[in-house]
Every structure is written in C-alpha cells, then in structure tokens.
Amino acid sequence: MKKRIFVLSAILISASIGAATYFNGTAPGKKYFESTRVEKGNCSVQESDEKEYTEYFYKIGSRFESVQKSALKKFNSVGHILSPEYVDLLQSCRSTEIIIIVDEQLSKERMHAEGPYFSSEQRAFFENVPYATHFRIDADITATNPKTKELENLMASPHFTVVPESPAYYKDGEKEFIDYIAAGNKENTANLDEKNTSFGEVYLIVKKDGTLENVHIYRSSKNEKMDAAMLELVKSAPAGWEPARDEEGNTVDQELVVMFALDGC
C-alpha cells in the first residue's frame, strides 16, 4: 500500500530542497492545501510522477528561500511572505510568529504579533538580523483554496535564510560548477540504487577573501563513496570563489549549501 504524505502547496514561497521534510508547519486545527505524494526509496515524489529516477540533481544556494537584508527591511505585513500571484487569495490574517531555526530545529526564540502587520519587535528583527540566520514565519490566515475556490483557515509557514545583497559565487558560473560536480561524481551516480540513497548536503563558508572554510557533509546521502567524492570536489573546485558583499559593498562571509540527490527527491 502506498503511504500518502501531505505537504504545503505552491501558495507558499517555496523553500530549498527538503525543507518540507524537516518542517511541515503542522498546527492543530489548521488546514493546508494538499498534494498527494508517495514514498519511493528515500525520496518523496508526486504520485503522478512515480518513475525510475536515473538522473542526478545538483543545486547550490542557501539552505532555505534566500532573502536579502535590504528586502527584509521592507517587510511590514503578511503579504510580503506570499508569492505575488497568491496575495489576492488572502482574505485575512489573525496572527504572525517569527521562529528562529537553529540546527534545523525550531528554537524557543519567537516573536508574535496579532493581525496582519508585523510588530515593532518583528520589524526590529528584520532590521538587525545577521546574515546566515534561518527562520520561519507562521501566518494564521484565511485564504481562498485555488482548487476548491472555498475559504479556508490555513497556516502559511515559509522558511527563509538571510543572505548578502551580492551573494558569493563560483567564478566560472553556477552552470560550470554544476557541470564540474556532475562530471566528477559520474562514477558514483552510475547504476545507483535509489532505495539505498538519500539526498545529501555539503555545507561550506565562502570567506571574505574568497577562500573556503568549514566544508563538511551536513547530510549524508547514505553512500560513503559519494559523500567523500562530493566533499573533495567542492574543496577542489578549480575556478575559485568570489566573496559576498553587503549593502555597503564590503566583503562578508556567506554560508552556501551544495545539495545532491536523485532527480525527483
């Protein structure tokens, strides 16, 4: 029997790969737009898309949805956390709560406000939050379900990572970096057993001078050879890195995540 898993639909700003796995935002008495997914090996895929996955997927970026400090400073209401095409579906907002995420756990550090507008405490957080901070915003809303066209009480729970205004990047470009990683990892992805493979993550920090620091496997793919290869490939990327810059143009450290998984995980 297929095991069904319910996840948030596209009404929310999408988080990085795997975010729904770690934090599903479930709250008692709240409904969510649902899409049916099935478990396949160590992946969760759309039921209609169930198939044999032979392609490998790579992505580099922030842990959750990237948000710049300059953009955060403009956040004043719940409308800023919804994708633009869904703002019109919003009918009302009863409350919002910002929750800091530490080591992929929801911390006790929380800032609550009644109504659709962020409080002075929440806006102060947006003004002063350090780079690489991860947080979730829970919004208790009433909105139109785009499928049923009916009003429903929902909990919107997008996740964000605070990033510099000019992000760090691989000097030869993202495509070249992904091509380099894919070529170097090709032997490990050939004839891969999807049932014994999960998505993996390499964390790294691009320092102010463009060097790398603290490169490590944060989430294992459950394939030791692949984990070791990915770690060495990231450390040895030949083109080097351009550091991130803040609002004033000063170079700053930035944490990046290289994610790797079977396409569809």
Side-chain angles (χ1 to χ4, degrees):
M1 180 179 293
K2 296 177 180 177
K3 183 178 178 181
R4 296 179 181 274
I5 303 172
F6 298 106
V7 297
L8 293 176
S9 80
I11 190 171
L12 306 183
I13 296 177
S14 62
S16 301
I17 185 172
T21 304
Y22 308 140
F23 309 105
N24 61 25
T26 302
K30 303 302 174 188
K31 298 178 68 176
Y32 295 80
F33 295 120
E34 299 172 346
S35 60
T36 303
R37 298 175 73 87
V38 296
E39 285 188 345
K40 187 170 181 62
N42 289 294
C43 303
S44 175
V45 301
Q46 290 290 347
E47 186 171 23
S48 60
D49 294 337
E50 191 174 2
K51 61 181 180 180
E52 294 298 319
Y53 291 98
T54 57
E55 296 297 323
Y56 217 71
F57 169 88
Y58 301 89
K59 180 181 178 182
I60 182 168
S62 59
R63 180 63 191 87
F64 297 112
E65 182 74 15
S66 298
V67 59
Q68 297 174 344
K69 291 182 74 171
S70 57
L72 271 179
K73 292 176 182 179
K74 299 176 182 178
F75 279 24
N76 57 36
S77 73
V78 68
H80 284 99
I81 71 170
L82 299 178
S83 298
E85 62 269 30
Y86 293 110
V87 171
D88 289 341
L89 299 175
L90 179 67
Q91 298 297 314
S92 64
C93 176
R94 287 169 288 280
S95 66
T96 61
E97 185 169 63
I98 298 172
I99 309 171
I100 309 302
I101 299 170
V102 179
D103 294 330
E104 294 189 359
Q105 299 295 320
L106 299 178
S107 74
K108 294 182 179 180
E109 187 177 354
R110 304 177 180 216
M111 290 149 277
H112 184 86
E114 296 296 318
Y117 294 100
F118 295 124
S119 67
S120 57
E121 180 187 23
Q122 290 172 326
R123 291 196 300 273
F125 167 78
F126 295 147
E127 287 277 348
N128 301 300
V129 61
Y131 293 123
T133 299
H134 310 298
F135 65 95
R136 187 176 89 181
I137 302 180
D138 286 349
D140 186 3
I141 65 174
T142 297
T144 303
N145 186 316
K147 292 183 178 180
T148 66
K149 307 302 180 184
E150 296 180 353
L151 289 178
E152 295 184 4
N153 291 330
L154 309 166
M155 183 66 78
S157 299
H159 299 63
F160 298 96
T161 297
V162 184
V163 300
E165 275 54 41
S166 178
Y169 62 89
Y170 188 62
K171 289 183 177 180
D172 278 355
E174 181 176 347
K175 181 181 184 302
E176 286 70 16
F177 177 75
I178 297 301
D179 288 347
Y180 156 76
I181 291 289
N185 198 36
K186 189 174 182 180
E187 182 179 343
N188 293 310
T189 58
N191 303 313
L192 197 63
D193 181 4
E194 65 184 67
K195 292 183 179 180
N196 295 310
T197 302
S198 183
F199 71 88
E201 295 175 324
V202 177
Y203 274 39
L204 62 143
I205 295 174
V206 180
K207 298 290 290 180
K208 296 177 183 180
D209 60 1
T211 60
L212 298 185
E213 182 180 84
N214 196 26
V215 183
H216 65 283
I217 294 291
Y218 185 81
R219 186 168 300 277
S220 173
S221 65
K222 300 182 180 179
N223 182 317
E224 291 184 3
K225 289 184 177 180
M226 184 177 298
D227 287 352
M230 287 295 298
L231 193 60
E232 185 58 33
L233 285 165
V234 172
K235 288 181 177 179
S236 304
W241 300 83
E242 185 68 24
R245 294 182 180 274
D246 62 17
E247 292 177 277
E248 287 74 40
N250 302 311
T251 56
V252 293
D253 296 351
Q254 183 179 2
E255 178 187 76
L256 293 175
V257 184
V258 178
M259 292 160 274
F260 52 105
L262 283 165
D263 188 17
C265 276

